[in-house]
Amino acid sequence: MLRLSGAHAGTIHVVPAAGALSVALLLAGCGGSESGGADPAAPGTVTLVTHDSWALDEKVVERFEEESGLTVEVSAAGDAGTLVNQLVLTKDAPLGDAVFGIDNTFASRALEAGVVEEYTPADLPDGVEQLGGALTPVDQGDVCVNADEAWFEKSDLEVPKTLEDLADPQYRDLLVVSNPATSSPGLAFLLATVGAFGEDGFEDYWASLVDNGVKVADSWEDAYYVDFSGAGEGGERPLVLSYATSPAFTVSEDGSESTTSALLETCFRQVEYAGVLAGSDNPEGAQAFVDFLLGEAAQAALPESMYMYPADPATKLPADWEKFAPQAEEPFEVDPAEVSEHRDEWIERWTETVVG
């Protein structure tokens, strides 16, 4: 049985302190290593506020702790949507120092609320562009519908390909998605339908999915591990909202094929950001941690620990990703300004149409 983590699941790693270096050694220049490009931070604790899917390789984080003299403590705040809501509600008494997991569906809200302060890493890789001078891209992944290939083969039914296919009666009661009001993948998929059918047409599309028996889960974890038949945990629905990278982690024992596939014509590209929380107790440590997340070690660890594409395009990817985890050639897009202006309205309209 395979259990995904990272951007795909709810595994929380609270990282213990590794051997702290002395202040003198820090001042000698340890902060200039490949895992962090900021000036050396003072020893202490950096509290990372993140979503429930934080799962970066502990050994990589321990290396950062050893080199910086900092101890990383992880505070999980739910899904990305819940994370941003909590950051806004606690703006005057921040929950930590650094944040990871604000994505491009909620980034505008975080920036407008002023929950992150301006900070640009000194070694920002080529091709990596910040938002508002405060949010630094760390990883990206395509949110797409996934199919249980074995279920469809056994049922002698062709795997759907497009958004329109999902509303076809032959796929009635087969799809489970996550709620855009409580789940960032759910919101990403809502935006995919806005991009596909327009602001005036997405409600009709969702109404057709409701008529076709779509099920809505509160979180990605519930949709994938409770309802999806391809997760190996007793689910009954062979179509689930997940990521284009998910099939790279449902590969057969001989490595020849994946038991699941991503519908690459149903995707919306999600970007996850890190930043320094405004009013934090340790902004210098938070800056060092943001630098670390863009460093070579952390970027290289992202695919196999977080199951997302690294933000730095120069990072080498696992050999089997080209075969099992390709990105969509033409993911659906919605202008960020439109998302900022209409996100809450679109969620309300979705809720009225789908939940009632």
Side-chain angles (χ1 to χ4, degrees):
M1 182 188 304
L2 177 68
R3 178 166 285 272
L4 304 180
S5 58
H8 297 78
T11 304
I12 303 301
H13 295 270
V14 180
V15 182
L21 301 181
S22 67
V23 175
L25 187 56
L26 283 169
L27 295 177
C30 283
S33 72
E34 67 177 8
S35 59
D39 293 334
T45 297
V46 174
T47 299
L48 172 66
V49 186
T50 185
H51 50 47
D52 285 350
S53 300
W54 169 262
L56 190 64
D57 189 331
E58 290 183 5
K59 292 181 180 179
V60 176
V61 180
E62 287 172 358
R63 176 179 172 182
F64 166 75
E65 292 183 314
E66 291 172 352
E67 293 177 346
S68 67
L70 295 161
T71 298
V72 178
E73 293 186 355
V74 176
S75 175
D79 204 305
T82 304
L83 168 64
V84 174
N85 289 338
Q86 288 297 314
L87 294 179
V88 172
L89 290 173
T90 60
K91 175 184 175 181
D92 295 331
L95 298 173
D97 305 300
V99 59
F100 166 77
I102 297 173
D103 78 344
N104 53 325
T105 65
F106 285 101
S108 59
R109 184 178 183 197
L111 290 172
E112 290 164 2
V115 300
V116 284
E117 64 181 34
E118 290 191 8
Y119 175 67
T120 300
D123 297 326
L124 198 66
D126 291 339
V128 176
E129 297 183 2
Q130 284 189 303
L131 278 182
L135 289 176
T136 300
V138 172
D139 62 33
Q140 62 177 350
D142 290 340
V143 175
C144 318
V145 173
N146 278 214
D148 177 355
E149 291 281 345
W151 188 97
F152 280 95
E153 182 176 354
K154 181 179 179 180
S155 302
D156 195 26
L157 184 63
E158 184 178 354
V159 175
K161 295 181 179 180
T162 67
L163 291 173
E164 290 85 353
D165 288 346
L166 299 175
D168 190 307
Q170 66 179 324
Y171 302 114
R172 185 180 302 277
D173 297 330
L174 301 187
L175 173 64
V176 57
V177 301
S178 44
N179 191 325
T182 57
S183 162
S184 60
L187 179 54
F189 188 58
L190 170 58
L191 294 178
T193 64
V194 173
F197 303 106
E199 184 179 357
D200 296 327
F202 78 91
E203 288 169 292
D204 289 339
Y205 174 71
W206 277 99
S208 70
L209 289 185
V210 171
D211 290 342
N212 214 34
V214 67
K215 181 175 182 180
V216 178
D218 285 337
S219 68
W220 176 90
E221 290 84 357
D222 287 342
Y224 199 91
Y225 290 115
V226 176
D227 294 302
F228 182 43
S229 61
E233 301 195 14
E236 297 182 352
R237 296 197 171 219
L239 295 171
V240 65
L241 180 64
S242 192
Y243 287 79
T245 53
S246 299
F249 302 94
T250 56
V251 176
S252 59
E253 290 186 5
D254 63 6
S256 63
E257 60 182 2
S258 176
T259 59
T260 65
S261 63
L263 281 53
L264 296 181
E265 295 181 44
T266 68
C267 303
F268 181 89
R269 186 152 298 164
Q270 183 182 39
V271 180
E272 293 189 303
Y273 299 91
V276 177
L277 289 176
S280 76
D281 291 333
N282 190 357
E284 293 84 6
Q287 292 172 6
F289 193 78
V290 171
D291 287 359
F292 155 71
L293 289 176
L294 270 185
E296 181 180 342
Q299 288 287 294
L302 283 168
E304 293 188 348
S305 61
M306 301 286 282
Y307 308 117
M308 296 284 276
Y309 275 82
D312 185 352
T315 303
K316 185 177 179 180
L317 297 171
D320 59 353
W321 274 40
E322 182 176 351
K323 180 177 181 181
F324 298 121
Q327 290 187 294
E329 293 183 0
E330 297 182 355
F332 292 106
E333 298 180 350
V334 180
D335 188 296
E338 291 294 306
V339 176
S340 177
E341 182 177 356
H342 297 292
R343 179 183 53 245
D344 292 343
E345 172 201 337
W346 291 339
I347 291 174
E348 290 177 5
R349 288 166 60 183
W350 178 93
T351 301
E352 291 175 359
T353 300
V354 178
V355 180

